[in-house]
Amino acid sequence: MGLLQIVLGGLVILVSISSLFKFYSAGFFLHNEDICRHFYGGQDVYVGFDIRALTARVGEVLSKMESLQDKLESTVQQMEKSKAVLDKTNISRLEYKKFLEEEVIQPLYNAHIALRQIRLPRIEGIGNTSMKEEPLINTFVIEEIRKYITPKDNRVGKINIYGTERIYNTLGHACVLWKKELEEYMDYDIGSYCKDDWILAQKLMINGCDPLPRRRCLTRASKLFLKPYPINESLWRLPDGRNVRWSNYQCRNFECLSSKNPKRGYFKCIGCFEMEKEKLKWVTNTSLAVDFLIRDALAIKPGEIRIGLDFGVGTGTFAARMREQNVTIISTALNLGAPFNEMIALRGLVPLYLTLNQRLPFFDNTMDLIHTTGFMDGWIDLLLMDFILFDWDRILRPGGLLWIDRFFCKRKDLDDYMYMFLQFRYKKHKWVISPKSKDEVFLSALLEKPPRSL
């Protein structure tokens, strides 16, 4: 028993000395001015690296070391108090080995790994840049995130096809605010099946951790995935529910998503999963002047509308109707309480899994049409809306159409939102304002982007 006390006491001393030596060698126990001289020869210590993230990581390691030291000291003190009892107790080698592995070796190993993961700033900079450390490298603990965000140098040591020396994987800046959730998302066994955690991924995306890092695990699918219906049937037929993973929804089949069900789990685009109702949209006259028909919109630019984007919430019905007119439409979608992406894809259409946070992945002046309905309404911040509209203007080609479909807001806010749409000086083909309620109004418009030969 005396030998065990000596071993534990020695480990306490070893942990303390190793942690002190590591941080002394890095210069963290020097005076602030000495740290500057030690790393940069008197230059600004804050230039080129994130000192807050580095400090946080150092704090984590010191906390682990301190916790281990406290545990070992507590164990030794407890053994001293119970010395008489322990002298009469025979501890087997297996119990002794288990204690050392679980209470000493594993915590020491975790602290050791965390210590080795800390990357100190490089005095000479990285590559041809003035950066002293890789962006965000000291922010995250999970090794898979660190591997993802570490730049990948070209293997041949030459400039690649993009004209760069290395590739930087992208990560949304708000990921640092959702560190715990992102580390949970990236904590998996490489090559095995991913957890059924798409809802966590969507939460991260919506909160600005977008784009998410890629993962090296196998995505899950429904247990029994059946062949989708032929395209001549799939556009207007409710898909087979067995092709959807329902575990993160309130409903367990498409029939449950009916607008008649108060527990359907979603509140936007009510009735979108009822094909009989969907068939009437954009092809049947209604009593509201703000409801435009597809044939009227296409007649403005006969033969010129070929490709476009539907930015909203829905199940792809606008894209389905446009497909019948030989127009290819990509539909943005989020799974807000229902499988909108799966529904669009199973209808034989193209879903784009996208949040409001992200720049549209299309090149400048490429789209013939942008249609928006049911999503970007009077709740949206004016500055955010300004950025979004300028991005739409970027991808819409000269002569392309912006179709604002049943946008609604409070009557008192209408002038502000009207300015947002009119600031681009698009040509008005249609512009209709109609009351929605006592305090709210609808706005629908068909606007044409002017040429800009600058």
Side-chain angles (χ1 to χ4, degrees):
M1 195 52 60
L3 177 61
L4 179 59
Q5 293 178 353
I6 293 173
V7 170
L8 293 176
L11 284 171
V12 171
I13 297 172
L14 179 63
V15 169
S16 303
I17 292 176
S18 64
S19 58
L20 288 171
F21 177 77
K22 174 70 176 180
F23 295 110
Y24 177 79
S25 64
F28 287 104
F29 297 144
L30 301 176
H31 187 269
N32 285 345
E33 294 178 0
D34 294 330
I35 294 177
C36 295
R37 284 194 294 271
H38 185 73
F39 278 128
Y40 304 102
Q43 295 178 6
D44 187 357
V45 69
Y46 296 102
V47 175
F49 78 99
D50 187 351
I51 193 170
R52 290 186 179 180
L54 183 60
T55 302
R57 290 302 305 280
V58 170
E60 287 181 24
V61 175
L62 290 177
S63 178
K64 289 181 179 180
M65 292 290 193
E66 184 180 2
S67 176
L68 177 58
Q69 181 172 336
D70 291 343
K71 182 182 289 187
L72 291 175
E73 289 178 346
S74 175
T75 302
V76 171
Q77 292 172 3
Q78 191 66 31
M79 292 173 68
E80 283 291 338
K81 293 179 181 179
S82 308
K83 187 175 181 180
V85 177
L86 290 174
D87 287 340
K88 301 176 182 179
T89 305
N90 292 324
I91 301 177
S92 67
R93 287 192 175 186
L94 184 61
E95 292 174 324
Y96 180 60
K97 176 175 178 291
K98 183 179 180 181
F99 171 80
L100 287 178
E101 287 178 345
E102 294 181 356
E103 302 297 330
V104 181
I105 297 176
Q106 188 60 44
L108 186 61
Y109 173 78
N110 292 338
H112 171 71
I113 292 299
L115 196 62
R116 291 181 65 87
Q117 284 182 337
I118 293 177
R119 300 206 188 162
L120 299 178
R122 301 183 190 178
I123 300 174
E124 70 280 6
I126 300 171
N128 296 325
T129 70
S130 61
M131 293 296 296
K132 306 301 181 184
E133 68 174 7
E134 309 294 1
L136 300 179
I137 196 64
N138 283 317
T139 301
F140 299 102
V141 177
I142 295 296
E143 185 64 16
E144 191 70 353
I145 303 179
R146 296 166 63 85
K147 288 179 179 178
Y148 178 79
I149 63 178
T150 300
K152 313 302 183 293
D153 291 326
N154 304 334
R155 292 184 65 183
V156 293
K158 298 180 181 179
I159 301 298
N160 60 29
I161 191 174
Y162 302 114
T164 64
E165 297 177 344
R166 60 189 61 84
I167 296 295
Y168 284 86
N169 290 326
T170 54
L171 189 71
H173 75 283
C175 291
V176 298
L177 302 176
W178 296 84
K179 178 181 174 183
K180 178 181 177 182
E181 289 80 2
L182 182 62
E183 290 182 342
E184 178 186 347
Y185 176 72
M186 292 297 288
D187 188 10
Y188 57 86
D189 296 325
I190 296 173
S192 64
Y193 283 101
C194 305
K195 293 173 284 187
D196 189 11
D197 58 356
W198 68 262
I199 199 165
L200 172 61
Q202 183 168 277
K203 176 183 177 182
L204 287 166
M205 291 169 60
I206 291 172
N207 284 283
C209 186
D210 185 20
L212 280 174
R214 298 184 178 108
R215 296 202 294 188
R216 296 187 289 173
C217 56
L218 303 174
T219 188
R220 295 178 181 271
S222 58
K223 293 182 179 179
L224 182 62
F225 197 95
L226 305 176
K227 289 195 305 182
Y229 299 134
I231 190 63
N232 60 333
E233 297 180 29
S234 63
L235 286 182
W236 303 108
R237 182 177 176 182
L238 202 63
D240 193 313
R242 289 173 291 183
N243 286 346
V244 176
R245 287 181 295 150
W246 295 95
S247 56
N248 288 306
Y249 302 113
Q250 289 190 29
C251 284
R252 291 295 182 268
N253 53 62
F254 282 112
E255 290 72 20
C256 169
L257 297 171
S258 168
S259 59
K260 297 177 182 178
N261 180 13
K263 298 181 179 180
R264 57 186 174 271
Y266 69 99
F267 65 93
K268 274 284 188 180
C269 196
I270 297 173
C272 281
F273 294 90
E274 299 169 43
M275 291 294 99
E276 292 304 316
K277 292 181 179 179
E278 291 291 285
K279 282 183 177 181
L280 303 177
K281 292 182 177 180
W282 297 290
V283 295
T284 305
N285 288 311
T286 69
S287 59
L288 292 176
V290 290
D291 289 336
F292 302 159
L293 302 182
I294 283 178
R295 66 169 181 265
D296 296 333
L298 296 180
I300 294 173
K301 291 284 184 175
E304 294 186 28
I305 306 300
R306 306 152 300 152
I307 57 174
L309 175 70
D310 182 22
F311 198 101
V313 176
T315 53
T317 295
F318 182 80
R321 282 301 183 198
M322 281 296 197
R323 184 188 180 105
E324 295 172 342
Q325 303 296 323
N326 295 319
V327 178
T328 300
I329 296 292
I330 297 173
S331 305
T332 65
L334 287 171
N335 285 3
L336 301 173
F340 290 99
N341 277 274
E342 295 96 317
M343 177 70 176
I344 294 170
L346 289 170
R347 293 179 73 178
L349 304 167
V350 183
L352 181 61
Y353 194 42
L354 191 75
T355 68
L356 281 175
N357 316 329
Q358 193 173 342
R359 183 178 187 262
L360 290 170
F362 305 111
F363 194 66
D364 305 354
N365 304 305
T366 52
M367 291 289 139
D368 299 322
L369 172 71
I370 296 178
H371 173 261
T372 179
T373 186
F375 188 58
M376 204 176 69
D377 296 317
W379 62 269
I380 194 168
D381 176 77
L382 289 173
L383 184 57
L384 172 59
M385 186 173 182
D386 208 27
F387 276 105
I388 292 171
L389 290 177
F390 271 94
D391 197 30
W392 290 1
D393 176 78
R394 176 185 64 82
I395 68 169
L396 191 63
R397 66 165 175 82
L401 295 179
L402 173 60
W403 184 345
I404 304 162
D405 196 350
R406 295 182 65 143
F407 174 89
F408 69 89
C409 64
K410 292 183 178 179
R411 191 181 298 274
K412 64 182 181 65
D413 297 329
L414 180 59
D415 287 344
D416 292 332
Y417 286 111
M418 284 175 58
Y419 169 77
M420 304 301 288
F421 293 120
L422 294 174
Q423 64 179 320
F424 299 97
R425 294 182 173 87
Y426 283 13
K427 179 181 178 181
K428 289 184 184 178
H429 289 284
K430 286 178 176 289
W431 183 275
V432 179
I433 298 172
S434 176
K436 180 178 185 288
S437 64
K438 180 181 178 181
D439 299 319
E440 293 181 315
V441 293
F442 281 122
L443 167 64
S444 288
L446 271 169
L447 309 174
E448 179 182 339
K449 180 179 177 178
R452 295 175 186 152
S453 54
L454 300 177

